[in-house]
């Protein structure tokens, strides 16, 4: 079976060179949207992709999240975030452009969804009932988790009373009986979002645009997944990253910490947890990016009792034996390939063992090559030219976890890096490292000419082709700074309405560059 899956993934990647754009939904908004971009705005962004010649739209995780609105700390691997529901459109129009995503509208959107539900009769229509039966493996637990969160004052599930924390059968029966109406509403919300996401994917497909989703490597400890299936997690551990030059204490993901997976138990369950996740994601995406794919080979694990201030210190790799990493990752990735028709890609950045890119290549899984880190590390340290990029990869100037390319050029790159990159770009560089539309254009041409089958650029890198769109400091458009908790993370938005972006001259500039690189659909 694995051999067939490998061939299928290679076939899905194909040899057709494509260009794409990475844009979180929370960064997009139209004149009609309410507080934050919604699924209707995604359709408008599909139109922008068509106009510019981009045939891949990459999104960040769309799953429901907790209070910090980090898309990589979801409360479910399945449920869609209600803040993206297309409700209230046109009733709360903006007269000015936004500065940050307004997640405060989530409560209001839930009220509007409840009103819609009540006005429709307060019962699940036949299609919603069918959806609920089809997804019974996860949705009943999720709906119960949601109502119990409210019952217990939104405290984490591991602080609930014993009967509910440990899922006593009598306690769960009581909840199902007492909270049936509320559970029905939660199921209806997820059905409503499912239908909207399916409509978006169909619209993108009609326009020839592939949708790339994102699969986080771990999940929030306070989630429906962990509450319903604690056997699939190592509850005594928290996932993170070891100390490095960027984070001297390393990283500990989430508070008190996201548990790592117990892969032996997941495999013992016939990989159903993984199969169900991928089956549901396939309803919405054509391509799926596996976040921190090296974590499937070995993951940095921190004892849960370790003081929070120590962050990622005093952790260890699991499995601890490096000789096991290759087969460990191969087995998990092979199971994933056998479980889906989506093209799988892997985010293989950072310090990674050789086994990771080697196994990915053997399985036909594209990695990611980011320009600022694509260097001859075992030699001169110089940047690699575009023809030295991996063919089976996504070429990018930036990611959601980095500064945009102009910001990197001006504030982070060294004089030597700018000089060497200037030679590769064939341009003279400003002695003080100042960026310009000319340098941006040269960088985009460079990354579009990469040998990589896909070239996907951050929306803010595309927009820097035109000097009048991104106003103020480039750092204001950074999506996330790893290892930090800040209101500036996961809230950056475009400085223009999507309607205005559609008519901006930058669209023609982007299309010309993509056409010249041979990546037009």
């Amino acid at each position: 079976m694995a051999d067939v899956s490998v061939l299928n993934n290679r076939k899905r990647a194909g040899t057709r060179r494509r260009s794409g754009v990475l844009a979180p939904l929370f960064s997009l908004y139209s004149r009609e949207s309410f507080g934050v971009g919604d699924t209707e705005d995604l359709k408008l962004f599909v139109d922008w992709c068509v106009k510019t010649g981009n045939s891949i739209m990459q999104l960040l995780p769309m799953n429901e999240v907790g209070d910090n609105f980090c898309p990589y700390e979801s409360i479910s691997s399945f449920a869609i975030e209600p803040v993206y529901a297309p409700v209230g459109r046109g009733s709360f129009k903006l007269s000015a452009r936004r500065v940050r995503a307004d997640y405060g509208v989530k409560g209001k959107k839930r009220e509007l969804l409840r009103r819609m539900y009540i006005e429709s009769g307060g019962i699940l229509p036949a299609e919603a009932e069918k959806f609920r039966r089809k997804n019974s493996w996860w949705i009943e637990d999720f709906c119960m988790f949601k109502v119990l969160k409210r019952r217990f004052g939104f405290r984490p599930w591991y602080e609930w009373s014993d009967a509910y924390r440990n899922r006593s059968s009598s306690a769960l029966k009581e909840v199902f009986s007492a909270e049936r109406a509320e559970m029905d509403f939660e199921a209806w919300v997820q059905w409503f979002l499912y239908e909207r996401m399916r409509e978006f994917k169909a619209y993108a497909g009609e326009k020839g645009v592939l949708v790339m989703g994102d699969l986080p490597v771990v999940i929030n400890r306070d989630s429906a997944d962990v509450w319903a299936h604690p056997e699939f997690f190592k509850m005594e551990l928290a996932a993170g990253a070891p100390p490095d030059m960027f984070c001297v204490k390393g990283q500990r993901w989430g508070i008190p910490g996201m548990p790592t997976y117990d892969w032996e138990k997941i495999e013992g369950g016939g990989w159903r947890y993984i199969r169900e996740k991928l089956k549901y994601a396939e309803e919405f995406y054509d391509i799926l990016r596996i976040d921190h794919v090296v974590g499937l080979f070995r993951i940095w694990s921190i004892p849960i009792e370790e003081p929070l201030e120590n962050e990622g210190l005093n952790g260890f790799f699991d499995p601890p034996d490096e000789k096991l990493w290759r087969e460990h990752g191969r087995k998990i990735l092979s199971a994933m390939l056998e479980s889906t028709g989506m093209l799988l890609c892997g985010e293989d950045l950072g310090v990674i063992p050789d086994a990771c890119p080697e196994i990915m290549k053997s399985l036909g899984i594209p990695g990611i090559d980011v320009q600022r880190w694509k260097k001859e590390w075992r030699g001169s340290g110089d940047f690699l030219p575009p023809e030295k990029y991996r063919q089976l990869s996504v070429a990018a100037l930036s990611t959601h976890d980095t500064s945009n390319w102009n910001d990197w050029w001006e504030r982070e790159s060294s004089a030597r890096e700018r000089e060497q990159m200037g030679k590769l770009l064939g341009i003279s560089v400003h002695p003080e490292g100042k960026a310009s539309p000319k340098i941006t254009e040269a960088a985009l041409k460079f990354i579009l000419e990469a040998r990589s089958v896909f070239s996907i650029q951050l929306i803010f890198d595309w927009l820097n082709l035109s000097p009048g769109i991104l106003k103020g400091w480039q750092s204001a458009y950074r999506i996330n700074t790893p290892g930090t908790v800040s209101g500036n993370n996961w809230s950056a938005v475009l400085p223009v309405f999507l309607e205005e972006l559609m008519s901006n001259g930058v669209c023609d500039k982007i299309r010309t560059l993509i056409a010249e690189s041979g990546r037009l659909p």
Side-chain angles (χ1 to χ4, degrees):
M1 282 294 291
D3 289 342
V4 173
S5 300
V6 169
L7 290 173
N8 285 342
N9 209 58
R10 286 176 177 159
K11 184 178 179 181
R12 292 174 201 127
T15 58
R16 180 177 172 186
R17 289 158 56 80
R18 291 178 179 269
S19 176
V21 56
L22 164 57
L25 180 49
F26 58 73
S27 295
L28 309 176
Y29 60 96
S30 67
R31 292 189 182 278
E32 299 294 318
S33 52
F34 174 34
V36 69
D38 60 43
T39 53
E40 286 299 304
D41 296 324
L42 286 177
K43 294 178 185 177
L44 189 55
F45 197 60
V46 167
D47 294 339
W48 184 85
C49 288
V50 173
K51 186 169 185 177
T52 57
N54 282 299
S55 57
I56 299 176
M57 179 197 294
Q58 182 181 344
L59 300 171
L60 296 190
M62 298 280 287
N63 304 105
E64 184 162 358
V65 296
D67 294 337
N68 65 352
F69 284 95
C70 171
Y72 293 91
E73 295 185 26
S74 61
I75 64 170
S76 170
S77 294
F78 303 86
I80 301 296
E81 171 55 58
V83 81
Y84 298 133
V87 295
R89 290 179 62 82
S91 301
F92 308 89
K93 289 187 178 182
L94 287 173
S95 58
R97 299 172 181 85
R98 292 179 184 156
V99 177
R100 290 284 166 184
D102 180 10
Y103 292 116
V105 301
K106 182 172 180 176
K108 181 63 176 178
K109 285 200 171 188
R110 280 188 60 88
E111 291 177 15
L112 293 171
L113 287 166
R114 189 178 295 276
R115 186 185 306 169
M116 288 174 61
Y117 178 63
I118 292 171
E119 289 175 352
S120 68
I123 58 173
L124 295 178
E127 283 301 308
E129 289 283 12
K130 181 180 178 182
F131 161 82
R132 191 172 185 175
R133 289 192 300 271
K134 181 180 177 182
N135 295 283
S136 60
W137 193 85
W138 67 270
I139 198 167
E140 299 305 327
D141 288 319
F142 172 75
C143 293
M144 192 169 290
F145 176 82
K146 289 279 287 186
V147 299
L148 282 173
K149 285 284 284 184
R150 280 190 286 275
R151 181 182 288 192
F152 285 100
F154 296 96
R155 296 200 306 276
W157 66 263
Y158 40 84
E159 294 181 5
W160 299 349
S161 57
D162 288 351
Y164 300 97
R165 183 176 69 245
N166 297 321
R167 295 176 58 86
S168 147
S169 58
S170 59
L172 297 189
K173 286 179 182 177
E174 177 273 321
V175 175
F176 188 79
S177 174
E179 305 280 5
R180 179 72 178 268
E182 194 62 18
M183 287 181 65
D184 285 350
F185 170 66
E186 294 293 349
W188 179 87
V189 169
Q190 287 305 312
W191 167 73
F192 176 82
L193 291 164
Y194 165 85
E195 291 292 340
R196 304 294 81 75
M197 284 294 291
R198 288 278 294 164
E199 288 173 0
F200 151 63
K201 183 187 177 185
Y203 184 82
E206 291 169 2
K207 300 286 187 174
V209 175
L210 300 177
V211 182
M212 179 188 283
D214 196 318
L215 180 68
V217 69
V218 287
I219 191 167
N220 202 326
R221 185 174 295 263
D222 185 24
S223 65
D225 296 40
V226 180
W227 174 65
H229 298 284
E231 70 276 13
F232 292 154
F233 300 87
K234 294 185 177 181
M235 303 298 289
E236 73 279 12
L237 299 174
D244 58 24
M245 62 185 294
F246 301 106
C247 298
V248 293
K249 286 188 174 183
Q251 297 177 44
R252 177 171 176 157
W253 298 333
I255 298 176
M258 300 183 184
T260 60
Y261 291 115
D262 190 326
W263 289 110
E264 187 175 337
K265 295 284 181 60
I266 292 173
E267 182 182 8
W271 300 102
R272 187 169 184 186
Y273 178 52
I274 298 301
R275 289 190 288 108
E276 293 286 344
K277 272 205 243 195
L278 295 178
K279 181 180 73 173
Y280 198 63
E282 195 168 343
E283 298 278 7
F284 315 126
Y285 310 118
D286 305 290
I287 307 171
L288 192 66
R289 169 190 177 274
I290 305 170
D291 178 53
H292 194 65
V293 69
V294 70
L296 305 184
F297 291 79
R298 48 77 169 148
I299 193 160
W300 191 249
S301 304
I302 305 144
I304 192 67
E305 67 271 11
E306 187 72 19
L308 292 177
E309 59 268 23
N310 288 348
E311 299 181 34
L313 295 174
N314 305 320
F316 60 92
F317 282 124
D318 185 19
D321 186 351
E322 186 174 350
K323 295 176 182 177
L324 300 177
W325 294 352
R326 179 178 296 271
E327 178 58 21
H328 192 263
R330 187 205 62 77
K331 183 188 293 185
I332 297 168
L333 286 172
S334 295
M336 295 176 77
L337 286 171
E338 292 170 9
S339 302
T340 184
M342 292 179 289
L343 167 65
L344 298 182
C345 296
E347 182 265 285
D348 56 347
L349 300 173
V351 179
I352 58 174
D354 291 341
C356 180
E358 290 170 3
I359 290 297
M360 287 172 60
K361 183 178 180 180
S362 72
L363 295 177
I365 298 174
I368 181 169
D369 285 348
V370 178
Q371 180 275 318
R372 68 191 70 176
W373 297 319
K374 196 65 177 171
K375 296 182 177 182
E376 184 57 67
W377 290 108
R378 295 175 181 174
S380 65
D382 289 345
F383 290 114
L384 293 180
E387 62 270 17
K388 293 291 185 69
Y389 282 49
R390 293 175 292 178
Q391 191 277 332
L392 193 64
S393 73
V394 176
L397 289 178
S398 312
T399 78
H400 67 270
D401 277 337
T402 70
S403 53
N404 66 43
W405 196 84
N406 279 23
D407 198 30
W408 169 78
W409 181 268
E410 293 185 339
R411 297 192 310 115
E412 300 171 15
S413 65
S414 67
R416 181 182 182 278
E417 285 178 318
R418 291 191 298 274
E419 180 183 6
Q420 201 245 325
M421 194 63 198
K423 291 178 181 177
L424 280 176
L425 299 180
I427 59 173
S428 59
V429 299
H430 193 283
E432 296 179 5
K434 187 172 178 58
S436 67
K438 182 180 178 181
I439 293 176
T440 303
E441 180 176 344
L444 286 165
K445 281 184 176 180
F446 175 95
I447 206 70
L448 286 167
E449 290 168 1
R451 183 166 164 255
S452 311
V453 64
F454 301 142
S455 183
I456 302 177
Q457 309 315 315
L458 193 64
I459 180 63
F460 301 113
D461 284 337
W462 281 125
L463 298 188
N464 267 323
L465 271 174
S466 181
I469 299 180
L470 301 189
K471 299 174 174 62
W473 296 103
Q474 290 286 329
S475 57
Y477 302 102
R478 181 161 185 157
I479 294 172
N480 178 52
T481 302
T484 69
V485 178
S486 164
N488 291 329
N489 290 341
W490 318 116
S491 62
V493 297
L494 300 185
V496 294
F497 295 106
L498 283 172
E499 294 90 343
E500 294 177 353
L501 193 60
M502 284 291 292
S503 59
N504 193 287
V506 75
C507 297
D508 293 333
K509 293 181 181 179
I510 294 171
R511 188 175 185 87
T512 297
L513 291 182
I514 293 173
E516 290 174 349
S517 70
R519 293 183 181 272
L520 275 183

